[in-house]
Amino acid sequence: MTIVAQAILNGIMTGMLIAIPALGLTAIFAVLRYVNFAIGAYATVGAFAAWYVNTRFGLGVFPSALVAFVAGGAVGLIAEQTALARLRPSGALAVAIASIAVNLILENVIRFIFGNDLQGFDLPIARDWRFAGLRFGPQQLQTAAIAIAIMAAVFLFLRFARFGKAMRAVADNPDLGRLFGMDPARIAMITVVLGAGLAGVGGVLLGLDTAIDPMTGSRLLLSIFAAAVLGGLGSIPGAVLGAVMIGIGEELAVLVLPATYRSAVGFATILLILSLRPAGILGERNT
Amino acid sequence: MLSYLIFTLTLGGIYALLALSLNLIWGGVGMVNLGLAGFFAVGAYASALVAIAGVPLPLAMLLACLIGAAAGILATFATIRLRGDYLAIVTLGFAEVVRMVALNERWLTRGSDGISGIPAPFRAELGVDGFNLFYLALVSVIVLAVFLTMRRLDLSPFGRVLKAIREDQELATFAGKSVTRFKMQTFALSAGIAGLAGALYGHFQTYISPDHFQPLITIYIFLAVTAGGVGRPVGALVGAYLVVFFLEATRFLGEIFTVLEPGQVAAIREILVGLALLCVLHLRPQGILPERIAPAPKPETSP
Amino acid sequence: MKSILQVRDLRRSFYGVKVLTGVNLDVIEGTITGLIGPNGAGKSTFFNCISGLYMPDSGSVMFDGVDVTRSRSQDRVAAGLVRTFQLARGFPKLTVFQHFMLYGQNHPGEGLLASLTGSAVGRRHEEELAEEALSTARRLRLTHVIDNPVTALSGGQKKLVEIGRALMAKPRLILLDEPMAGVNPTLMAEIAEHLKALNAEGVTICLIEHDMKLIGSLCDPVIVMAEGRKLTEGSFAEVVSDERVQEAYLGGRH
Amino acid sequence: MLKAEGLVAGYGAAEEILKGASIDVEAGEIVTIIGPNGAGKSTLLKAIAGLVPLKGGSVRMNGADLTRQDALGRSKAGLAFVMQEKNVFGAMSVAENLDIASFGNPSGMAARREAVYARYPVLADKRKALARTLSGGQRQLLAMGMSLMTEPKLLLLDEPTAGLSPKAAEELFMAIIELNRSGLPVLMVEQHALEALEISTRGYVIVTGRNAATGGGRELAADPEVRRLFLGG
Amino acid sequence: MSSFTFSRRGFMGGVAGLAATGLVPHAVMAQDGPIKIGALTPLTGSGGPYGPVMVKAIKAVAAEVNKAGGVLGRQIEIISEDDQTNPEAGVRAARKLVDVDRVSAILGTWASSVTTAVAPICWESGTMLATVSGADAITALPHQGYIIRTQPTTILQGRKFGEFAVEQGVKKLFFFSPQTPFADSQFTNITKAVKAAGGETKSLIYDDKKPSYRSEVDEMLAYGPDVIVLGGYAADTAVLLKDIFRAGYEGKKIAFAYSVNQKLIDSVPPEVVEGIFTIAPSPAESSSAYKRLVSLIDVQNPDPYTTQVYDQANLVIMAIAKAGAADGKSIRDAIRSVSQAEGGTVVDNAVDGLKLIAEGKSVNYQGASGPCDFTAAGDISDSQFRYEQVKGGKLKLLKIA
């Protein structure tokens, strides 16, 4: 029983790590209606930016994460404006394919600048706490707390803030938004900054837990997608739910299956859920 | 240099088969298959394993086609209800699972060691150079045959239904078309072609391993089809050869950037691949040879 | 007075909202039956259930004596039950000609193998179908735009293409969903003539329409739906004088 | 108050749809534009609202030149456009729709929202409902209510009764008249030409992108030539 | 072999038209221009952390030799290609190196799959292939002597890991590894050594792309080992080590020196790696070659792959001098006479070796990665190992044995 409880706990922790970039992916999808494969590279950019200011200027976790948000957002915005935005009339697929190219380019720009070596944050590491036979990582708790705070902030922003509501409105109907004084191009830009920035923060949280290299984000791309799709692309709470479910599913699977098939379990989970609910758990349905 | 050219052309032919496969499923019914590398792998492993077990090569390649097609049918079953963007992600996952199985089921695939010593047709008889030339001819003939078949299909009533499904699948059912059947047949055929490409690749290289089938190859094929023109077989064909030549040409850039570290030159090469894809999408969104829709026949009696 | 479509106690809900609350109606072979009713009466959902886009929760649909309640859309089309859509929908990149060709039913050349081998039967059928498509285009006066993609057509032409491709399916019963929406009176009259001619050739027509003039001049009988079921049925004159119909649908001025 | 002259506009490289149409609206009027399909009626309305770029002509409102303003600028100048379809945010509640409609002008939002509820109590009852669950007529009311949130000086309606049953259409016409009586001029394009002209002070007939006829609403509705051409007898 | 050469010539003659278009100038120039050697390493992909330094080491050797006058009076040109840690790309790159550049040797292939894919091209074209890949199967290929491997076989490595664990007093050993071509064989050989000493073992193969391995670590804790062996590469090992630390594991850890290298040590908090033992093949004494390499490329604690390619470059260059010819076949035939000549003068670099060879003396190269003596199959015949331990963020040498 304890083993299962521990696995679920571990799953939630792992899920929190992919929830933030999944949130970014789903936010961009909600407004711009395309699947952004570059989200992996945005996460890597954020991680490297934060690492740079952390190791170079000794900034702590929170200011570093802020830098990551800005860096991820800025790179996302530049990529959107130079490479992706003009393709929107050609359809979501063209933009998605272009974002694969952007991912490849950004990953290699990082490689060009920083090389392939592993880089680690200059932050202390703590042993886990034990409670009722279960293991909790203070760092993971901190990560989870940051993740939950970000999710709540995003949720409240979209629900109550003027710009947040405008984002939802433009996601729903850009032409109508324009009539009421919303500039869809500007809203799209804000969304991209938010989404790519979140991916950047996700990259930092990941880097804190592990170590970073140019492929940090790309390696997790499939998990991020799985989470967002499972929850229903475009649904903010869905992304978080999907991430946690994938996390728990994978950790539980390790108990019964060879650990090498972990990713396959995530994949099987999304196939199963999608065959029952083709639009994901909290996805919008058209009919 | 000449044998390099022969090699590059042979590889271009194998890429062309993959591009034709992708074009059929993507340009045909509009399903985005990001798992191309997976079907490529299935064909390569199937043919290699049965050939090593003693099955004659033509039969082994045929089997690779069939097993690839079966994998395609399986994939369609699993994904038939999915929206386009979900399908893309699920097929991406499919390729990863194929790679994982190839990596971990050592009893079948020899795991990460890969399978070496795959029989190559007439290699002993022809010698290395003779074989390479023969194989180029073999691959080219197969590419030509598949291309002609794809073109015929593109212009046939079947192709017309595919295009209709691509444009609006719900409406196609109200035109009386069994969308599921058409999708399944198309996916099977497409996966079969990818499987054939895999078989040809395995027997050409005589060695395959899970590392061969990384997602990057799928990106190359998307680049090929996008550059050539989605929805037109000749576009896919031309695009594939262009991509291979482009990939090889970027090698010689290293000689220009001598001041850079080797890792940086490698990074620049991959950046160039990405930029090429972006340029094609921006400058020729329809590709070099855009899709054409055949006109109605003109009867002499028409006014 | 044989009914070609027989609908019994058809029910369908969406997210707990009952849209069809037990539809019982018959479409008599050889008629042009009008289907009217207020917005939200369930007319479009009814069409969607009849044509197989949605499966009903319960009830039955008999087409020409055969139970098609659970059949797939494409099988209903092949049996001669064809529908159109409210907003003229089309396959954007396909030409008018290809739209027409596509609606040919039971085309032996459409199979994968037939297309690969170029079977003689398939080719012959294709040629015959092409003849038919051209003559349909002539009939609807669309010959000059036959190689245009449908996205390049005017709204009226799209409506004509929609009717033309339904014809190509050799229908026994056509379900027309607001064929006159957004159509000007001149074209409306033209479409009405086409519908009458079709009906004279033996095709049964069932149409949803808000334009009372058209309903009055074209349809007999007229079925009125309200709140997810049939409210009443009769000649145009009968239904417009019905108080319940005026209350639910027509309002004061009619 | 609105003076649109010699408007030329179209989409992309194709032939222009508007070839010099002109429209005036005076304070307190209901003006209806009718014409055959493809005449450019909706394009004309969109060109006035700034949703289609102008290649010629001018748009003036109360003397101010709006020709060079985009949709946003014209909406700030008091032009409110209600699209024919997709004119509400379906995935948001009625209340959110009204709030977001005052995006460009948020001060005093709550008071205006209450005013809309008072005018259309059916919206007040459904304030928490998602807009896509509304009936066709309610949705049109919401769309008009959203326009009111921008405190418009002129309401542009594109086929407001399209797809509505005769009863719902009639109710909507009543709502338009009521709105007009409260001082808001209305310019609309209508497929139900006869009914629309009957409630209009004036009407314009547009054919192939140009003015073909103009006159009082009932006068046009009675004109045998207009009736024969556009009203189906 | 001779018929092969003949057919190639006939073939080339048959397409003289093509040659006239300028496609094959290299072949004509080959005798006078520089001697070309290919470096085929992973510069991108999952081997990316290793390849760039390897190329640096190879180029450093060439530069050193060129400065001293080259070999056979010719300069050495290193042509670097990226195998993208992907055999498909590796084969394309090798084709270019062999067919276009006409290199006489390819050095540095890292991933076993890349090496296996590239090997047939090499032996068929008569190109020497020196690799650092670990899979046992590689030297079992029918390579006709064209392959040498500087990485000791996993049988040997596994045994060394096992024996070292026994020295540390192991009772229960837990083996963590991703799916590599040598994971199985390594675990088998560790188990053999541990069982002989009365201990027991357990293994877990993990997916190397995950952000956390908490449940895997739980499985390890449930087993309760006193020694953990880590079989992964740097990226996944860094993740795993952090999770092991957090879980409060206090026992001993042993890892490959190529995964727990200075880069990894610098990239994680010091307490995470403190006390880890690393094992790498090594020269008999605290080698002068190793020191030379460090000063040459200015990298502290270069990982084993770097030391190995450094040796490969030195060996190939000396073999060329020894054979008096720069083709692959000559290198193949001469390489053991510079790597392990009986009674030869011990040298630790090619510059010195070339001088001795010019004087007609026989040499025995002792490199930065070990004595570099090869069996007939191409494997390292005997290797000593370098045992280090992380102390205070630095690798401290414990012993060489």
Side-chain angles (χ1 to χ4, degrees):
Chain A
M1 213 42 237
T2 319
I3 302 173
V4 175
Q6 181 72 54
I8 290 173
L9 193 65
N10 292 349
I12 294 171
M13 298 295 182
T14 316
M16 288 299 167
L17 280 180
I18 50 176
I20 302 294
L23 213 55
L25 177 78
T26 221
I28 293 179
F29 182 87
V31 174
L32 292 154
R33 295 278 141 190
Y34 74 91
V35 180
N36 194 335
F37 285 80
I39 208 87
Y42 297 161
T44 316
V45 166
F48 268 85
W51 164 78
Y52 190 79
V53 296
N54 166 254
T55 53
R56 194 69 187 261
F57 308 115
L59 262 55
V61 177
F62 291 97
S64 297
L66 196 66
V67 169
F69 183 88
V70 172
V75 168
L77 185 62
I78 293 167
E80 189 71 26
Q81 295 302 85
T82 55
L84 303 178
R86 282 204 298 139
L87 291 173
R88 259 180 249 149
S90 316
L93 192 61
V95 188
I97 291 174
S99 74
I100 297 178
V102 168
N103 195 59
L104 192 65
I105 293 170
L106 286 178
E107 182 185 312
N108 281 287
V109 168
I110 294 168
R111 177 172 286 134
F112 187 90
I113 301 171
F114 296 104
N116 282 320
D117 292 322
L118 273 187
Q119 315 287 358
F121 284 83
D122 190 9
L123 291 168
I125 185 167
R127 300 265 190 190
D128 290 348
W129 299 330
R130 283 169 194 281
F131 179 77
L134 296 180
R135 213 151 58 76
F136 295 80
Q139 242 145 2
Q140 268 100 349
L141 282 181
Q142 182 192 337
T143 303
I146 294 176
I148 289 168
I150 287 173
M151 285 173 239
V154 170
F155 182 78
L156 293 175
F157 174 72
L158 288 178
R159 194 94 223 152
F160 298 110
R162 189 162 149 267
F163 256 106
K165 277 199 252 187
M167 270 172 66
R168 281 165 60 214
V170 169
D172 195 8
N173 190 338
D175 290 336
L176 190 58
R178 203 192 307 268
L179 274 181
F180 292 110
M182 295 162 226
D183 178 356
R186 188 143 152 259
I187 302 268
M189 270 158 50
I190 293 169
T191 311
V192 167
V193 169
L194 180 73
L198 285 178
V201 174
V204 181
L205 295 185
L206 202 65
L208 289 179
D209 227 38
T210 60
I212 58 171
D213 66 69
M215 290 172 44
T216 290
S218 310
R219 218 176 270 132
L220 280 185
L221 206 51
L222 208 56
S223 300
I224 295 170
F225 282 157
V229 166
L230 188 60
L233 266 180
S235 160
I236 299 289
V240 179
L241 188 67
V244 170
M245 282 186 65
I246 294 269
I248 293 176
E250 286 188 1
E251 301 286 343
L252 283 178
V254 171
L255 298 181
V256 287
L257 281 174
T260 35
Y261 278 115
R262 238 169 104 145
S263 303
V265 170
F267 174 72
T269 317
I270 62 172
L271 256 192
L272 187 74
I273 302 245
L274 288 183
S275 61
L276 299 174
R277 293 182 71 99
I281 301 172
L282 299 179
E284 320 147 23
R285 282 169 293 185
N286 295 327
T287 49
Chain B
M1 187 72 192
L2 186 69
S3 50
Y4 175 59
L5 210 63
I6 290 173
F7 167 78
T8 307
L9 280 171
T10 311
L11 202 67
I14 288 165
Y15 275 41
L17 284 177
L18 287 174
L20 286 169
S21 159
L22 179 65
N23 182 60
L24 176 63
I25 193 74
W26 181 24
V29 277
M31 294 167 84
V32 181
N33 180 4
L34 282 181
L36 202 62
F39 296 100
F40 186 48
V42 166
Y45 271 96
S47 186
L49 288 172
V50 298
I52 287 173
V55 175
L57 281 192
L59 206 62
M61 289 190 186
L62 188 70
L63 260 167
C65 269
L66 292 178
I67 293 174
I73 290 176
L74 205 73
T76 334
F77 261 126
T79 59
I80 196 80
R81 291 176 66 205
L82 298 187
R83 260 168 38 191
D85 32 18
Y86 283 29
L87 178 78
I89 291 165
V90 168
T91 49
L92 187 68
F94 168 79
E96 193 57 22
V97 169
V98 168
R99 216 173 61 78
M100 228 173 255
V101 170
L103 194 61
N104 292 307
E105 298 309 310
R106 305 177 66 96
W107 58 273
L108 181 68
T109 62
R110 301 187 207 164
S112 48
D113 275 343
I115 300 175
S116 57
I118 301 170
F122 306 114
R123 204 154 201 267
E125 293 86 339
L126 293 171
V128 173
D129 283 348
F131 167 78
N132 285 342
L133 208 57
F134 158 74
Y135 213 81
L136 172 61
L138 176 72
V139 167
S140 305
V141 166
I142 291 175
V143 168
L144 190 69
V146 171
F147 162 66
L148 290 175
T149 312
M150 288 302 111
R151 208 181 57 165
R152 159 168 247 170
L153 215 52
D154 188 43
L155 301 172
S156 74
F158 184 83
R160 186 171 60 222
V161 178
L162 296 195
K163 289 198 166 119
I165 292 173
R166 179 190 68 189
E167 305 284 295
D168 188 336
Q169 97 175 48
E170 192 178 273
L171 193 54
T173 67
F174 288 105
K177 310 303 169 198
S178 172
V179 170
T180 312
R181 185 176 59 109
F182 279 98
K183 273 188 166 179
M184 196 132 27
Q185 285 177 343
T186 310
F187 211 135
L189 185 60
S190 161
I193 296 170
L196 177 65
L200 285 170
Y201 184 79
H203 294 291
F204 177 52
Q205 296 289 329
T206 72
Y207 171 66
I208 52 170
S209 73
D211 281 355
H212 277 88
F213 306 101
Q214 292 173 20
L216 201 61
I217 192 156
T218 309
I219 297 180
Y220 292 159
I221 303 301
F222 265 87
L223 174 58
V225 175
T226 313
V230 188
R232 189 150 165 212
V234 67
L237 192 74
V238 170
Y241 284 104
L242 279 180
V243 163
V244 173
F245 283 112
F246 172 76
L247 287 179
E248 290 305 307
T250 55
R251 264 180 217 299
F252 298 90
L253 279 169
E255 291 162 20
I256 303 170
F257 300 110
T258 43
V259 285
L260 296 180
E261 299 280 327
Q264 292 181 320
V265 176
I268 286 181
R269 272 191 72 202
E270 296 207 346
I271 290 173
L272 282 173
V273 173
L275 283 178
L277 188 49
L278 283 182
C279 284
V280 168
L281 283 167
H282 278 97
L283 302 176
R284 289 219 52 122
Q286 313 301 322
I288 298 161
L289 298 163
E291 181 176 6
R292 284 185 313 189
I293 302 280
K298 291 278 175 283
E300 287 92 285
T301 52
S302 114
Chain C
M1 291 292 276
K2 181 184 160 226
S3 60
I4 191 164
L5 188 74
Q6 200 171 44
V7 179
R8 291 294 172 264
D9 199 29
L10 201 66
R11 289 165 194 272
R12 177 69 154 104
S13 315
F14 293 96
Y15 313 117
V17 180
K18 290 176 183 153
V19 179
L20 297 183
T21 55
V23 183
N24 285 292
L25 60 80
D26 287 76
V27 174
I28 307 300
E29 187 158 18
T31 59
I32 302 182
T33 301
L35 192 58
I36 62 173
N39 300 92
K43 301 184 300 291
S44 287
T45 304
F46 174 69
F47 261 27
N48 287 339
C49 281
I50 300 301
S51 60
L53 185 60
Y54 304 152
M55 287 297 151
D57 298 333
S58 66
S60 72
V61 179
M62 305 280 280
F63 175 65
D64 206 15
V66 180
D67 189 339
V68 296
T69 317
R70 305 271 152 205
S71 331
R72 299 175 304 172
S73 310
Q74 63 261 31
D75 297 333
R76 301 183 202 214
V77 177
L81 175 58
V82 181
R83 73 166 293 175
T84 66
F85 286 87
Q86 193 171 344
L87 298 167
R89 256 167 103 173
F91 307 105
K93 280 193 179 170
L94 299 195
T95 62
V96 172
F97 178 71
Q98 287 187 313
H99 273 78
F100 287 175
M101 295 295 283
L102 195 67
Y103 275 69
Q105 296 302 304
N106 304 316
H107 185 345
E110 238 168 37
L112 177 56
L113 274 181
S115 279
L116 284 178
T117 56
S119 80
V121 185
R123 269 191 321 221
R124 197 162 348 102
H125 195 93
E126 180 82 355
E127 280 162 22
E128 286 164 13
L129 207 58
E131 278 301 311
E132 233 171 281
L134 292 172
S135 82
T136 304
R138 274 197 295 276
R139 175 176 184 171
L140 296 170
R141 278 182 267 153
L142 289 168
T143 312
H144 59 296
V145 292
I146 195 156
D147 284 332
N148 290 14
V150 287
T151 39
L153 302 183
S154 73
Q157 285 169 331
K158 282 183 193 161
K159 288 278 175 189
L160 290 173
V161 170
E162 179 126 28
I163 290 168
R165 64 188 199 205
L167 286 187
M168 290 295 294
K170 300 240 164 67
R172 312 255 338 266
L173 169 62
I174 301 188
L175 306 172
L176 298 171
D177 196 349
E178 299 201 24
M180 305 303 181
V183 170
N184 69 15
T186 320
L187 186 58
M188 214 187 262
E190 191 185 326
I191 292 178
E193 284 314 308
H194 286 308
L195 295 183
K196 277 182 198 158
L198 259 180
N199 185 240
E201 288 165 24
V203 179
T204 312
I205 295 171
C206 177
L207 59 90
I208 298 176
E209 188 49 62
H210 281 313
D211 191 293
M212 286 302 112
K213 277 200 258 355
L214 183 87
I215 293 281
S217 67
L218 204 59
C219 300
D220 189 36
V222 175
I223 297 172
V224 186
M225 279 182 73
E227 290 166 354
R229 65 179 67 171
K230 185 170 89 177
L231 182 66
T232 184
E233 181 179 349
S235 70
F236 182 69
E238 283 163 14
V239 297
V240 292
S241 58
D242 189 315
E243 274 178 30
R244 288 173 304 166
V245 176
Q246 291 185 349
E247 164 67 21
Y249 181 54
L250 293 170
R253 289 190 300 132
H254 283 272
Chain D
M1 61 185 301
L2 174 80
K3 211 167 177 58
E5 287 185 310
L7 300 185
V8 180
Y11 304 92
E15 199 192 352
E16 305 300 351
I17 293 170
L18 290 183
K19 296 166 184 162
S22 299
I23 297 283
D24 283 0
V25 182
E26 293 305 324
E29 280 193 312
I30 297 181
V31 177
T32 298
I33 304 170
I34 61 168
N37 279 88
K41 304 183 298 282
S42 288
T43 310
L44 176 56
L45 217 55
K46 286 179 184 159
I48 292 171
L51 292 172
V52 176
L54 281 179
K55 290 174 190 159
S58 67
V59 177
R60 302 177 146 268
M61 177 91 168
N62 291 333
D65 189 354
L66 302 180
T67 313
R68 309 220 166 274
Q69 299 272 10
D70 60 359
L72 188 52
R74 295 191 201 182
S75 133
K76 281 188 180 146
L79 284 174
F81 179 73
V82 179
M83 294 199 284
Q84 181 182 349
E85 47 194 17
K86 295 190 185 166
N87 48 20
V88 297
F89 298 109
M92 300 170 85
S93 71
V94 167
E96 282 181 321
N97 265 283
L98 292 174
D99 289 355
I100 202 68
S102 50
F103 181 81
N105 175 21
S107 61
M109 179 175 81
R112 269 177 286 148
R113 188 191 336 128
E114 290 312 315
V116 171
Y117 285 153
R119 192 183 284 271
Y120 305 125
V122 61
L123 295 183
D125 296 344
K126 297 221 162 197
R127 65 180 79 198
K128 292 244 164 75
L130 291 188
R132 62 161 171 250
T133 64
L134 299 181
S135 75
Q138 290 167 346
R139 199 175 305 178
Q140 286 296 343
L141 287 185
L142 175 57
M144 292 195 337
M146 287 163 73
S147 293
L148 294 179
M149 294 298 286
T150 66
E151 301 189 304
K153 299 200 178 74
L154 171 64
L155 196 58
L156 309 173
L157 301 173
D158 191 2
E159 304 208 8
T161 67
L164 293 189
S165 69
K167 188 184 177 201
E170 191 181 316
E171 283 168 3
L172 193 71
F173 277 137
M174 300 307 273
I176 293 171
I177 292 171
E178 188 267 338
L179 205 56
N180 176 253
R181 285 199 185 131
S182 71
L184 186 62
V186 174
L187 172 63
M188 65 177 164
V189 169
E190 250 304 326
Q191 201 62 244
H192 292 111
L194 192 56
E195 291 88 338
L197 284 176
E198 274 172 8
I199 66 163
S200 301
T201 30
R202 284 189 304 120
Y204 285 87
V205 180
I206 302 290
V207 179
T208 59
R210 293 190 182 86
N211 294 45
T214 180
R218 283 167 197 280
E219 186 186 318
L220 273 182
D223 184 316
E225 181 70 2
V226 170
R227 281 188 87 89
R228 193 180 60 75
L229 269 174
F230 307 117
L231 304 177
Chain E
M1 222 42 190
S2 63
S3 72
F4 156 58
T5 322
F6 173 76
S7 76
R8 175 189 281 255
R9 283 218 185 103
F11 191 59
M12 296 302 274
V15 288
L18 260 181
T21 62
L23 281 173
V24 284
H26 285 289
V28 188
M29 302 280 293
Q31 288 311 307
D32 313 310
I35 294 169
K36 294 186 174 178
I37 294 173
L40 184 58
T41 56
L43 304 176
T44 57
S46 55
Y50 301 111
V53 194
M54 292 164 73
V55 181
K56 201 170 175 183
I58 297 172
K59 286 195 165 164
V61 174
E64 205 183 28
V65 170
N66 285 340
K67 215 169 120 195
V71 58
L72 305 181
R74 292 160 67 187
Q75 293 282 294
I76 293 162
E77 183 184 341
I78 302 297
I79 297 161
S80 166
E81 287 291 340
D82 178 14
D83 69 28
Q84 301 176 259
T85 328
N86 176 338
E88 198 274 327
V91 163
R92 283 192 278 120
R95 274 285 167 195
K96 184 254 181 184
L97 287 173
V98 168
D99 294 340
V100 179
D101 300 317
R102 303 198 169 266
V103 297
S104 35
I106 291 176
L107 312 180
T109 56
W110 179 84
S112 298
S113 56
V114 172
T115 307
T116 316
V118 165
I121 297 172
C122 291
W123 77 63
E124 278 162 9
S125 63
T127 308
M128 192 68 201
L129 175 65
T131 172
V132 301
S133 301
D136 293 342
I138 286 170
T139 45
L141 294 169
H143 60 78
Q144 304 152 27
Y146 281 106
I147 296 179
I148 55 161
R149 163 165 53 190
T150 44
Q151 180 84 345
T153 63
T154 49
I155 299 167
L156 185 58
Q157 295 207 27
R159 205 179 72 217
K160 294 281 180 184
F161 269 83
E163 286 167 1
F164 186 70
V166 170
E167 274 176 47
Q168 304 301 316
V170 65
K171 292 280 176 298
K172 285 175 119 180
L173 181 145
F174 197 86
F175 179 69
F176 262 127
S177 176
Q179 193 64 271
T180 63
F182 41 84
D184 251 23
S185 135
Q186 187 174 20
F187 179 63
T188 313
N189 287 292
I190 289 175
T191 305
K192 227 180 263 173
V194 172
K195 282 227 167 107
E200 55 173 302
T201 62
K202 187 168 197 266
S203 81
L204 188 148
I205 306 290
Y206 59 86
D207 180 348
D208 59 1
K209 286 189 178 148
K210 290 288 146 187
S212 126
Y213 297 106
R214 297 179 68 86
S215 290
E216 285 86 342
V217 169
D218 281 335
E219 195 173 327
M220 176 272 289
L221 288 180
Y223 181 69
D226 45 14
V227 172
I228 299 177
V229 174
L230 300 153
Y233 294 108
D236 47 296
T237 304
V239 181
L240 191 54
L241 279 173
K242 280 192 169 183
D243 274 332
I244 291 173
F245 174 82
R246 290 193 186 105
Y249 171 78
E250 301 279 5
K252 298 189 169 79
K253 287 163 280 192
I254 310 173
F256 286 110
Y258 58 69
S259 70
V260 181
N261 55 12
Q262 196 61 46
K263 281 287 176 191
L264 182 141
I265 294 167
D266 292 342
S267 72
V268 297
E271 56 268 45
V272 170
V273 283
E274 186 66 19
I276 295 182
F277 298 102
T278 68
I279 301 183
S282 167
E285 62 247 40
S286 187
S287 115
S288 49
Y290 187 84
K291 285 179 191 141
R292 197 182 173 97
L293 168 63
V294 168
S295 71
L296 210 54
I297 60 172
D298 193 26
V299 172
Q300 288 305 311
N301 296 309
D303 61 45
Y305 299 130
T306 308
T307 63
Q308 289 175 32
V309 284
Y310 172 77
D311 292 345
Q312 292 170 359
N314 280 312
L315 283 169
V316 163
I317 289 167
M318 286 188 294
I320 290 169
K322 183 83 180 177
D327 60 299
K329 185 169 179 297
S330 308
I331 297 173
R332 175 192 72 169
D333 296 341
I335 199 146
R336 282 173 185 77
S337 65
V338 293
S339 66
Q340 57 216 71
E342 239 171 89
T345 315
V346 171
V347 292
D348 65 2
N349 67 84
V351 175
D352 295 347
L354 291 178
K355 275 186 212 140
L356 292 167
I357 292 167
E359 291 161 19
K361 292 186 181 139
S362 82
V363 295
N364 177 9
Y365 179 74
Q366 303 282 307
S369 69
C372 293
D373 297 347
F374 300 97
T375 64
D379 278 320
I380 288 281
S381 59
D382 181 35
S383 182
Q384 288 196 304
F385 282 76
R386 184 184 183 86
Y387 297 83
E388 288 174 306
Q389 188 175 24
V390 181
K391 277 185 185 150
K394 288 277 172 277
L395 283 163
K396 293 276 175 327
L397 183 66
L398 294 179
K399 63 168 181 175
I400 290 169

